[in-house]
Structure formats: C-alpha cells, structure tokens
Amino acid sequence: VQLQASGGGLVQAGGSLRLSCAASGRASSSFYMAWFRQAPGKEREFVARIAWSGGTTTYADSVKGRFTIFRDTSRFTVYLQMNSLKPEDTAVYYCAATTLDSRKYENYANWGQGTQVTVSS
C-alpha cells in the first residue's frame, strides 16, 4: 500500500490543523493506520492509530483529548484532527500502516512522506 500525507503547516499555539493520509494500492481491511511524529534530535514517536476495520482508536497520552484520528473508508483516507496545539507538538508527522497490533514504529512497513507541523508560541 502507498501512503500520501498532506495538511501540515504553521499555526499558533492553541490553533488547529488537520492532516490527511490517502492510501492506495493493496489496502487491507486488517490494516492499522497510524500517525507518528519526529521532532529534531528526538526519536520517532507514536501519536495515534486506528483499526481500518471497526475504527478502534488508540492515542499517546501526550495528545489524548486534543487529537482525533478517524477514517473515511470510501476515500481510503485517514485523518488526524489536531486541536489545542502546543509548541511541543512541532515535528514532522508521518502516516504509516501495518497488519500488526503495535504502536512501535519498527513494526510499520508502509510509510508516507512526512509533513511538517510547526506550532509557534
């Protein structure tokens, strides 16, 4: 499956952004779709994921209550709605897919290109 991410940008603290990740190719109903992020000098970290079948969601504690992951199965697209953004949310955001029940980036075989999110204070 190929993934195409979009929607990053520059926003002030407290603002909102929505990221999109369009999937194409051999998408599977058994996939988990996730968002990860990587700030300069830091490791890539899990942000949120959604089960393509059933829509069950999981979030990192740092974004719980502020970010929402959801999918549009007709468009084969996953979204990350980010509200109440903080400067510490600044990072390159990546979407990824796996058939494994995992939050570890090592277990994700399919990756989209990153999209930069910058939150100014």
Side-chain angles (χ1 to χ4, degrees):
V1 61
Q2 292 77 45
L3 305 175
Q4 181 73 34
S6 61
L10 173 64
V11 64
Q12 288 188 331
S16 298
L17 280 175
R18 178 179 291 184
L19 307 182
S20 300
C21 179
S24 61
R26 284 191 167 185
S28 168
S29 62
S30 63
F31 269 129
Y32 293 89
M33 300 287 291
W35 289 94
F36 290 80
R37 65 187 182 187
Q38 189 165 19
K42 295 188 177 181
E43 285 195 355
R44 192 166 297 190
E45 65 173 353
F46 170 80
V47 175
R49 68 167 187 176
I50 186 166
W52 192 256
S53 177
T56 302
T57 57
T58 309
Y59 296 92
D61 288 344
S62 59
V63 306
K64 204 171 292 184
R66 300 188 297 123
F67 291 11
T68 302
I69 187 171
F70 60 100
R71 77 211 190 291
D72 182 335
T73 56
S74 65
R75 295 176 182 268
F76 297 99
T77 300
V78 172
Y79 302 91
L80 185 68
Q81 178 66 42
M82 305 184 293
N83 298 330
S84 302
L85 282 161
K86 304 175 181 180
E88 51 264 43
D89 294 318
T90 295
V92 177
Y93 283 70
Y94 299 89
C95 62
T98 184
T99 57
L100 302 176
D101 184 3
S102 175
R103 300 187 185 195
K104 296 182 178 181
Y105 71 85
E106 300 93 332
N107 290 331
Y108 284 73
N110 302 93
W111 290 86
Q113 86 288 3
T115 184
Q116 177 71 46
V117 171
T118 303
V119 185
S120 62
S121 57

